[in-house]
Amino acid sequence: MSTKVRTADTRERILTAACEVIADIGFEKIRMRMVAERAGVSTALLHYHFDTREKLFTEAMTHSFANTAVDVERDAETAPAAVILARIVRNLLPTDPQLHQDWRLWQELWVRALRDETTRVFAVDLYAQLHAWVGDAVRRGIASGEFTPTDVDDLSTLVLSLSDGYGIRLMLRDPTVTLDAALAAIWRHVSTALGLPEAVPTE
């Protein structure tokens, strides 16, 4: 294994471990030693890659989002646009254990962003990336003729807002909100705007 590959593998293990530890106990309580132990590396090696907790946190958030996006977009050039968009909507909600962990990271981000200007700017940038993720999927569907033209930015903002609202209720285990109901409610707005069937597409 080359040095470059080993370095990339080490960073991957550290970022995965950081996501797990932050989700488990919260950013304010983590120590670099905890992440190093979870990743199976020395504290010195962890500090070589990430010299501060803040840098580790922002990199972990970016890592989490990037991994989700890659999985969803794996066949974006061949799958129907509605299927890709439905995947994105599902991945904006805590629909499985991994996404539940991602949501815990986002909740940590929100809290920290209220108190720290650097984190606030980072959070706004991450939301811009989410907005572009949704918007690009909608634009592809419009360009291919699968979707009715609409105001892409307005729809993207609506999808993110609804996902945040329903996602919080789901994370709180609110008994009046179910995952199926949340997906159906969000997709109703999407399908109306894009001229699609009301049923959420499946693979």
Side-chain angles (χ1 to χ4, degrees):
M1 184 183 295
S2 70
T3 300
K4 185 176 181 180
V5 172
R6 282 198 303 271
T7 299
D9 178 68
T10 299
R11 284 181 64 87
E12 175 77 19
R13 283 191 290 129
I14 290 172
L15 290 171
T16 298
C19 290
E20 292 172 357
V21 175
I22 294 168
D24 284 348
I25 67 173
F27 174 76
E28 298 303 331
K29 293 182 181 179
I30 69 164
R31 299 294 178 267
M32 299 293 263
R33 171 183 52 79
M34 299 175 183
V35 177
E37 289 175 354
R38 181 76 65 99
V41 301
S42 68
T43 304
L45 183 57
L46 173 60
H47 278 285
Y48 170 78
H49 288 281
F50 305 98
D51 53 359
T52 66
R53 285 194 317 156
E54 289 72 20
K55 184 175 180 180
L56 179 59
F57 179 61
T58 57
E59 290 281 347
M61 289 294 306
T62 302
H63 172 77
S64 172
F65 170 62
N67 280 352
T68 298
V70 166
D71 179 60
V72 169
E73 299 276 353
R74 61 187 179 276
D75 55 354
E77 298 306 316
T78 56
V83 169
I84 299 298
L85 187 55
R87 280 184 200 161
I88 291 174
V89 171
R90 286 190 181 91
N91 277 269
L92 291 172
L93 295 171
T95 51
D96 62 31
Q98 181 60 51
L99 290 166
H100 192 276
Q101 175 181 287
D102 290 349
W103 257 86
R104 291 176 71 108
L105 293 177
W106 276 96
Q107 290 173 313
E108 290 293 324
L109 179 67
W110 292 336
V111 171
R112 185 160 177 74
L114 294 175
R115 303 189 181 110
D116 178 76
E117 177 62 14
T118 300
T119 306
R120 185 196 67 78
V121 172
F122 173 69
V124 170
D125 180 66
L126 268 187
Y127 264 105
Q129 293 181 51
L130 286 176
H131 187 95
W133 191 34
V134 176
D136 288 348
V138 173
R139 288 187 182 93
R140 283 201 301 267
I142 293 173
S144 68
E146 296 173 68
F147 298 164
T148 300
T150 191
D151 187 316
V152 177
D153 285 333
D154 277 358
L155 181 59
S156 300
T157 298
L158 180 63
V159 167
L160 292 181
S161 299
L162 290 170
S163 298
D164 279 351
Y166 279 111
I168 290 169
R169 302 279 290 278
L170 291 168
M171 290 296 290
L172 292 173
R173 298 193 298 277
D174 185 332
T176 66
V177 179
T178 67
L179 177 57
D180 286 344
L183 282 169
I186 297 169
W187 193 257
R188 244 189 334 269
H189 290 280
V190 171
S191 62
T192 298
L194 300 178
L196 298 171
E198 196 168 294
V200 183
T202 56
E203 296 292 329

